[in-house]
Amino acid sequence: MVFTTFKFLCFLCLVIVCYFVCPIKYRWGILLIASIAFYCIAGMKYLPFIMTTIVASYFAAIYISNRNRRLRECIKQSTNQESKKGISEKYKKVCKRVLISFLIIALGILCYTKFTNKIIEVAQGILHMFRPEFAGISAVNIIVPLGISYYTFSAIGYVLDVYWKRYDAEKNFLKYMLYVMYFPHILQGPIARYNKLAPQLYEGHRLDYKRVCFGMQLIIWGFFQKLVIADRLAIFVNAVYGDWQLQEGFVLLIATIFASLQLYTDFAGCINIAKGVSQIFGIELEDNFCQPYFAQSVAEFWRRWHITLGAWFKDYLCMPIAVSGFVKKWSKKVKMKWGSQAGKNVVTIVPLIAVWIATGLWHGTGWNYMIWGVWHGGIIICSTLLEKQYTIWKQKLQINDNTKGWQLFRMARTFVLTAIIPRVITRSPSLPAAVGVFKNMFSAFNIWVLFDGSLYNYGLDAKDFAVIMLSVLLLFLVSALKEKGVEIRETLAQRNLAIRWMVYYIAIFTVIIFGIYGSAYGQSQFVYMMY
């Protein structure tokens, strides 16, 4: 059940009514029932996968938490330092075994569902090269459960936090189940941290008019981003990339720019709907975007884009690798041979390599995504290694970081490095196709397509392009105001009733009139639901 369907809106209205009618201390139960219903409506076939992850993570965390508590008690009772150390080592080994067992289960399910089809496809391709008679064998269709990348990471983060003694495990199985399955964030995140989300889910919230208004505003804005911008751009992008061999020059460049804007507005639209729905219930989800296309470097872009994923990789992959014994030993050896700076670089670079390989695999299963991960990681690593040299170059060239011209140049450069080149790699059907798209893009300087009406041959007419231009301009203005720290919803709340409701009506009817939807149109699926 996708957020942009009429079915979901009816479902949401029913849940809101039930939530605020129910006594406060039982309201978390309404959210649990709604989350289970939401997931079951999406497909009962997905349920065994998420329940396996929930059960495994719940009991792993309970066992580890109990062991940690017993360890504290034993250490208090013991007076011998040697005895304390022995007890501690014994408990740590047992907890580590349980943790590893859980990680094998959770990551095993994730890898099985995401990569099995691709592995079979590659194996069949190799088999076909040597035994053509097997070409007709059909691939096994392994289903990918709804939101598996998101709920798996949430569960892993929770168990690791318990293992690291950041907090005790949740003893109520149903409450923990709600944390993992909470329906607004199950589709595309944000990836929730237990200590930030769970208390909000369990405490129950009273009906608040301002909070409901703010939530509805976010939902409408999310619908606008998805239905008016993203799904309209998708028509053009799909038409061009679906027949990329016959396209060239500016047509491919425009389609790639549109594809980047489509990805952003699609993903951000879903997140805004999820945040808006949660805000109605009194629950604040974490921000997942912070005007990413205003970034002036690739590293800054990734601090602004998919923020919760980047934070997850930093806390649960990058830092553990950086402080691991293996990296420390390697760093010492490199330091002795090539100096202290080289030793420090090992601690920085090795975790970054692991993070970007994992990020590529998280986003997709093809070689496109591996190259995409290597591209981003390579730029960030090179920027880290050349940071001092880069400062020297700027001083010699007398470049002032505070000038508007230089900042605009850096934004444009970052857009090319993060939105143009990588988007060609991932939007193309294969890696050879991506190479072909780049070749075709620079094969002709056909700038006249901007004026001769040729762009209207790809599913959009002049009115659609006008809607796109005005919508993107509005998106830019809203982003610019947010970048300056303007609280748009607070500003609107200070206006009189007539102005507020005029804005609401304009927003709603804009989505209704200019949105891309209906029974004859199937582009309602969110792009990041596939990850």
Side-chain angles (χ1 to χ4, degrees), residues 2-6 8 223 226-227 231 273 517 524-526:
V2 182
F3 288 162
T4 52
T5 59
F6 183 70
F8 174 76
F223 270 70
K226 169 62 177 170
L227 297 179
D231 285 357
I273 295 170
Y517 57 87
S524 60
Q525 190 91 336
F526 286 94

Side-chain angles (χ1 to χ4, degrees), residues 309-462:
L309 178 67
W312 194 96
F313 275 126
K314 177 185 174 183
D315 291 347
Y316 300 112
L317 185 61
C318 185
M319 293 305 295
I321 291 175
V323 299
S324 65
F326 170 75
V327 171
K328 285 181 178 178
K329 287 179 183 177
W330 196 12
S331 176
K332 286 180 181 178
K333 288 181 181 179
V334 171
K335 180 180 178 180
M336 291 173 63
K337 195 168 185 179
W338 286 292
S340 60
Q341 186 58 48
K344 290 178 182 178
N345 289 338
V346 169
V347 178
T348 302
I349 293 170
V350 173
L352 282 175
I353 292 172
V355 164
W356 282 103
I357 290 174
T359 304
L361 290 172
W362 186 90
H363 279 86
T365 57
W367 281 107
N368 304 53
Y369 290 96
M370 286 296 296
I371 298 299
W372 174 90
V374 169
W375 170 263
H376 285 289
I379 292 173
I380 292 173
I381 289 169
C382 288
S383 299
T384 303
L385 294 176
L386 297 174
E387 186 175 3
K388 289 185 178 179
Q389 190 63 45
Y390 186 53
T391 304
I392 294 170
W393 291 339
K394 285 196 296 183
Q395 289 174 349
K396 287 183 177 180
L397 295 172
Q398 297 183 344
I399 293 173
N400 184 355
D401 282 339
N402 297 320
T403 60
K404 289 292 182 183
W406 179 246
Q407 290 174 356
L408 288 173
F409 167 76
R410 293 182 70 191
M411 285 182 196
R413 177 197 63 187
T414 303
F415 186 81
V416 171
L417 294 176
T418 59
I420 302 296
I421 297 172
R423 193 61 180 135
V424 170
I425 295 171
T426 56
R427 186 59 185 79
S428 301
S430 64
L431 204 53
V435 175
V437 169
F438 280 121
K439 287 174 66 177
N440 288 4
M441 192 181 291
F442 295 100
S443 65
F445 188 77
N446 54 345
I447 195 170
W448 55 84
V449 300
L450 299 173
F451 313 102
D452 65 3
S454 301
L455 297 178
Y456 303 150
N457 297 324
Y458 301 97
L460 301 179
D461 58 20

Side-chain angles (χ1 to χ4, degrees), residues 253-305:
L253 178 60
I254 292 167
T256 304
I257 293 172
F258 279 10
S260 297
L261 293 174
Q262 177 210 349
L263 183 66
Y264 171 59
T265 50
D266 186 287
F267 195 9
C270 181
I271 295 297
N272 282 326
I273 295 170
K275 284 173 65 66
V277 169
S278 295
Q279 202 160 55
I280 291 173
F281 296 126
I283 297 162
E284 294 292 337
L285 295 181
E286 295 180 67
D287 289 331
N288 220 26
F289 293 97
C290 183
Q291 298 75 255
Y293 290 138
F294 286 170
Q296 297 183 35
S297 69
V298 176
E300 184 189 353
F301 174 85
W302 280 100
R303 290 193 295 270
R304 292 169 172 259
W305 177 284

Side-chain angles (χ1 to χ4, degrees), residues 53 56-57 101-111 148 152 155-156:
T53 301
S57 57
S101 299
F102 161 70
L103 291 176
I104 290 171
I105 294 171
L107 293 176
I109 294 172
L110 179 64
C111 293
I148 186 168
T152 300
I156 289 174

Side-chain angles (χ1 to χ4, degrees), residues 123-151:
Q124 285 185 328
I126 296 171
L127 184 63
H128 174 57
M129 291 171 60
F130 298 100
R131 300 292 297 272
E133 63 270 23
F134 291 110
I137 297 177
S138 58
V140 178
N141 186 24
I142 306 297
I143 62 170
V144 180
L146 181 69
I148 186 168
S149 296
Y150 301 95
Y151 71 69

Side-chain angles (χ1 to χ4, degrees), residues 166-185:
R166 291 175 177 170
Y167 44 73
D168 290 329
E170 171 59 55
K171 292 181 172 59
N172 188 317
F173 177 78
L174 295 179
K175 285 186 175 182
Y176 174 69
M177 187 176 174
L178 171 60
Y179 158 70
V180 178
M181 292 188 75
Y182 179 53
F183 75 92
H185 81 129

